[in-house]
């Protein structure tokens, strides 16, 4: 986002957020709302500002009915939406996602993809990692393939498929 990582770490921390799979369970025996209030307190938001963001995110993710439900009682799709809502409490300029759709049903995946496209269109850059090309191409306009720190590919999914369409694939089953 134009910041120097060596000199402006505080600015960077304020402008990024992340979701690595379904990584933020919070306190499992506490409700969604209480966990989100705890997260806003960690972020330094006032109670009023935090509650306003929580209400908006619960509505956006269709989790309003579950606001008083303990996190451990949620389905995997609801946990994924909850984790993404936590990541968006900051309104990040850059959002890092690592396999955010893993283990979700088709309906939950479609919902989260739609939300990701919406926040991207509103100006948030999304760094999305996944091992499934078919998932990545449904969300990302630009793909980068990096191996051991070296950039191997930079372009569209279409370009990647054209580049490797004549590649022979060998499946070995043991």
């Amino acid at each position: 986002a134009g910041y120097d990582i060596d000199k402006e770490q505080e600015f960077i921390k304020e402008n990024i957020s992340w979701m690595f799979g379904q990584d933020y369970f919070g306190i499992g025996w506490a409700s969604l709302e209480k966990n989100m209030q705890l997260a806003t307190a960690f972020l330094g938001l006032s109670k009023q500002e935090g509650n306003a963001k929580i209400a908006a995110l619960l509505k956006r993710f269709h989790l309003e009915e579950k606001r008083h439900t303990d996190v451990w009682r949620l389905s995997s799709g609801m946990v994924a939406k909850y984790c993404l809502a936590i990541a968006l409490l900051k309104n990040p300029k850059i959002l890092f996602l690592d396999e955010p759709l893993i283990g979700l049903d088709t309906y939950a995946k479609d919902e989260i993809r739609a939300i990701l496209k919406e926040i991207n269109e509103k100006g948030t850059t999304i760094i999305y990692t996944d091992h499934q090309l078919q998932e990545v191409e449904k969300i990302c306009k630009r793909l980068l393939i990096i191996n051991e720190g070296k950039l191997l590919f930079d372009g569209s999914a279409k370009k990647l498929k054209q580049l490797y369409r004549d590649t022979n694939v060998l499946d070995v089953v043991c």
Side-chain angles (χ1 to χ4, degrees), residues 95-161:
L95 177 63
F96 293 88
L97 301 174
D98 183 26
E99 297 183 336
L101 306 177
I102 197 163
L104 301 182
D105 63 35
T106 303
Y107 180 75
K109 285 180 180 183
D110 288 344
E111 264 191 306
I112 290 178
R113 279 189 212 107
I115 291 166
L116 293 176
K117 287 178 184 177
E118 176 189 325
I119 64 171
N120 179 248
E121 288 169 3
K122 289 183 177 178
T124 298
T125 297
I126 299 173
I127 309 295
Y128 186 105
T129 62
D130 205 307
H131 294 91
Q132 304 297 319
L133 181 59
Q134 62 271 27
E135 286 298 335
V136 174
E137 68 184 327
K138 290 176 183 175
I139 296 173
C140 302
K141 300 171 196 159
R142 180 178 169 202
L143 307 179
L144 298 158
I145 297 178
I146 301 169
N147 187 29
E148 296 181 6
K150 294 181 182 167
L151 180 64
L152 302 179
F153 176 82
D154 181 353
S156 68
K158 183 178 178 182
K159 181 178 172 185
L160 180 66
K161 287 178 178 181

Side-chain angles (χ1 to χ4, degrees), residues 48-106:
Q48 183 179 7
E49 184 182 5
N51 285 339
K53 283 190 174 201
I54 290 167
L57 287 166
L58 289 173
K59 183 176 183 177
R60 178 188 221 176
F61 285 87
H62 308 290
L63 292 169
E64 293 166 300
E65 292 179 10
K66 299 293 183 182
R67 74 181 327 124
H68 300 295
T69 303
D70 292 348
V71 173
W72 72 272
R73 293 183 178 272
L74 299 174
S75 69
S76 59
M78 288 181 194
V79 169
K81 291 192 286 184
Y82 156 73
C83 289
L84 187 53
I86 293 287
L88 296 176
L89 283 168
K90 292 172 93 173
N91 294 327
K93 289 183 182 176
I94 302 173
L95 177 63
F96 293 88
L97 301 174
D98 183 26
E99 297 183 336
L101 306 177
I102 197 163
L104 301 182
D105 63 35
T106 303

Side-chain angles (χ1 to χ4, degrees), residues 28-44:
W29 45 263
S31 72
L32 243 72
E33 188 170 45
K34 292 215 182 294
N35 272 292
M36 292 179 83
Q37 288 169 341
L38 181 62
T40 59
F42 285 142
L43 292 172

